[in-house]
Amino acid sequence: MKVLVLGGGAREHAICWSLASSTLITKLYCAPGNPGIEKEALCVDLDIENNKEVLDFAKKNKIDLVVPGPEIPLVNGIVDELKQNKIRAFGPSKAAALLEGSKKFTKDICNSAKIPTAKFNFFTEMAPAIKYLNTIAFPIVIKADGLAAGKGVTIAKDINEAKEAVKNSFNGIFGTAGMKILIEEFLEGPELSYFALCDGKTAIPISNAQDHKRVGENDVGPNTGGMGAFSPSQILTENLEHQIINKIINPTLKELIKRGTPYQGVLYAGLIITKEGPKLIEYNVRFGDPECQVLLTRMKSNLLEALIASCDQTLESFNIRFFDESTLTVVMASKGYPGKYIKGSEISGIEEAEKIRDVKVFHAGTTKINNILVSSGGRVLSVTSKAKTIEDARSLAYKAIKKIRWKDGFFRSDIGLK
Ligand code: AMP
Ligand code: GLY
């Protein structure tokens, strides 16, 4: 079987690493990939946000399955186009990917299916939004409706911060994605990322993770794509999971079936566990990054078979299994991230880090210049470990990080501590 993975981050490295162990695969491609992925797959230079380019490559190379990693190809409808051309594709249709593509769409689903979520107001113009801010209490959350590369959410402590966020959004800081906004109730409680694998009819839990979104230790500073994660979360009890499935995941899937756009692929629910129970703050239509790294390191089942079961609607009889161990990942980023940072800084010691048992270093923003590995992005490495407990996995990941030499990098030293 020939498989093409789309993306070039640590999430896609984890996907390729996991797929590469499947004996069913005769050829694994990744576009665009990265120097870490190169060890698992043949990296090809494709613009993955251009459906035609991906489709042409898939046809020409007789690809049997395409696995998009990030949200943009999914929201662009790559799955529909591939399927129309009789090529299996893992993930939601363009219509169902609106769960991530439009926060207002998700709120409408929550409203129709009575799913617990933060209360909100929706604005398409600046003046009424500003006027509304004068009538409410703070903190409050301002969200761009569309895709904003994880930067579209501001938690405003006071009216000045809120006004600035609203103005920035309508002045085009997020392009068209920010021309519609939600002003949303601030929810208090721990956060949890919950993942289900769906085939349009059936959803099976594929575990959970806790992400560390803020750039600084003790959760201070601006939001990032994620500075580390661990799985499973310690806060997920059986009762809580029951509530998440029955009050949030299943009603969402039923509502989408009712609307004629059933959901296939990974459904990633961003939740806040409030005193009144779990509430949905967002859906993503893909694996999280860095959550994917910890989920796939814990997965015992064959990933390829799981993805095919999602595409072929056979999840009902699929027995997904996970290791009992815990996994943890620490992201190493370029100094300055999520603001400005330099590129091209040399990195070494990864092989030594990986000599430690149950440690795997996934690449994100790396490239090779004259055969030397250098940084090329904000988030650069995802140092991942598996051990009996979260504490043990933590020690292992930090032990591995000590082996990595990179003068322009930094990481949070408190991943998994809370
Ligand atoms: P999102 O991009 O929707 O995941 O939001 C980014 C981060 O903002 C989340 O991980 C939360 O930490 C925070 N956040 C989003 N919505 C809310 C909310 N309604 N109440 C409190 N925090 C929120
Ligand atoms: N780690 C957050 C995300 O993938 O959206």
Side-chain angles (χ1 to χ4, degrees):
M1 199 170 180
K2 292 181 179 170
V3 180
L4 167 66
V5 175
L6 304 180
R11 164 182 49 208
E12 289 76 24
H13 189 180
I15 292 172
C16 287
W17 169 77
S18 212
L19 288 175
S21 64
S22 175
T23 49
L24 287 176
I25 295 185
T26 51
K27 187 95 202 171
L28 181 59
Y29 296 94
C30 184
N34 66 39
I37 294 175
E38 236 166 51
K39 298 202 176 104
E40 317 288 355
L42 179 64
C43 295
V44 288
D45 190 20
L46 289 180
D47 176 3
I48 62 166
E49 293 177 13
N50 180 332
N51 285 356
K52 187 173 178 306
E53 235 179 83
V54 174
L55 182 61
D56 286 348
F57 179 89
K59 278 194 206 157
K60 193 166 156 218
N61 293 281
K62 301 199 165 42
I63 300 293
D64 300 293
L65 171 69
V66 178
V67 185
E71 61 279 16
I72 292 179
L74 296 166
V75 171
N76 284 348
I78 188 69
V79 167
D80 311 58
E81 290 207 30
L82 289 161
K83 280 186 177 170
Q84 279 154 20
N85 285 276
K86 308 247 173 313
I87 298 168
R88 259 202 201 111
F90 173 75
S93 64
K94 185 174 184 169
L98 271 180
L99 281 182
E100 180 162 359
S102 164
K103 294 200 187 286
K104 174 66 165 48
F105 175 82
T106 295
K107 289 292 191 191
D108 290 341
I109 297 279
C110 289
N111 195 23
S112 307
K114 300 197 170 38
I115 293 163
T117 182
K119 293 191 195 83
F120 76 103
N121 276 274
F122 181 61
F123 297 93
T124 53
E125 281 176 75
M126 190 188 313
I130 299 275
K131 198 169 159 199
Y132 172 71
L133 291 176
N134 290 313
T135 67
I136 55 173
F138 292 86
I140 198 85
V141 187
I142 321 269
K143 295 187 173 180
D145 177 60
L147 293 184
K151 299 190 177 85
V153 175
T154 305
I155 296 170
K157 285 193 298 296
D158 54 43
I159 188 152
N160 295 328
E161 279 184 17
K163 278 186 179 166
E164 194 184 318
V166 168
K167 283 181 189 160
N168 284 341
S169 196
F170 282 112
N171 284 334
I173 185 175
F174 308 120
T176 52
M179 294 302 152
K180 297 175 192 161
I181 63 165
L182 271 64
I183 300 183
E184 185 175 283
E185 168 196 20
F186 177 80
L187 298 176
E188 271 181 89
E191 276 186 66
L192 177 71
S193 305
Y194 191 85
F195 296 83
L197 186 64
C198 312
D199 68 3
K201 299 185 297 195
T202 305
I204 58 173
I206 49 165
S207 201
N208 60 87
Q210 264 179 279
D211 190 6
H212 297 63
K213 287 214 167 83
R214 302 294 188 111
V215 73
E217 315 263 317
N218 298 315
D219 296 325
V220 296
N223 261 334
T224 68
M227 294 299 294
F230 60 90
S231 174
S233 159
Q234 318 274 293
I235 61 171
L236 189 75
T237 59
E238 212 172 295
N239 174 38
L240 178 58
E241 182 159 27
H242 189 80
Q243 290 183 55
I244 294 168
I245 294 172
N246 292 303
K247 292 187 175 171
I248 297 176
I249 305 287
N250 285 343
T252 303
L253 299 176
K254 265 198 194 144
E255 181 63 28
L256 286 171
I257 291 173
K258 205 166 112 189
R259 292 179 182 215
T261 55
Y263 191 90
Q264 282 177 277
V266 172
L267 184 61
Y268 159 176
L271 306 164
I272 293 190
I273 314 306
T274 71
K275 285 200 184 100
E276 293 129 53
K279 292 193 182 177
L280 181 76
I281 52 167
E282 65 164 350
Y283 270 131
N284 294 313
V285 296
R286 51 175 172 80
F287 280 114
D289 184 350
E291 293 93 329
C292 182
Q293 292 85 296
V294 289
L295 290 187
L296 295 188
T297 314
R298 273 190 64 223
M299 196 186 269
K300 209 174 188 177
S301 307
N302 183 301
L303 177 65
L304 179 71
E305 287 172 15
L307 302 185
I308 291 176
S310 160
C311 295
D312 295 355
Q313 303 202 295
T314 55
L315 279 178
E316 201 177 11
S317 57
F318 194 83
N319 177 21
I320 196 130
R321 288 174 312 140
F322 284 87
F323 291 109
D324 290 332
E325 282 106 321
S326 295
T327 51
L328 182 138
T329 193
V330 181
V331 170
M332 296 183 79
S334 298
K335 282 180 191 162
Y337 172 81
K340 276 199 183 129
Y341 52 83
I342 59 155
K343 294 181 184 177
S345 159
E346 186 174 343
I347 303 165
S348 62
I350 293 177
E351 295 74 15
E352 287 159 60
E354 287 192 323
K355 276 190 192 138
I356 302 173
R357 203 187 130 105
D358 287 327
V359 166
K360 177 76 198 163
V361 180
F362 296 113
H363 290 231
T366 64
T367 190
K368 273 188 178 163
I369 297 180
N370 298 330
N371 224 20
I372 292 174
L373 190 74
V374 299
S375 61
S376 64
R379 292 191 294 171
V380 172
L381 299 172
S382 188
V383 182
T384 309
S385 58
K386 183 170 87 191
K388 207 162 178 202
T389 63
I390 299 267
E391 292 71 31
D392 292 348
R394 222 182 146 259
S395 316
L396 214 54
Y398 285 107
K399 189 172 152 194
I401 280 186
K402 281 206 183 116
K403 309 271 180 199
I404 297 174
R405 294 175 295 278
W406 175 29
K407 72 174 172 29
D408 296 303
F410 79 99
F411 56 89
R412 275 180 61 166
S413 64
D414 62 344
I415 303 303
L417 259 192
K418 256 209 254 172

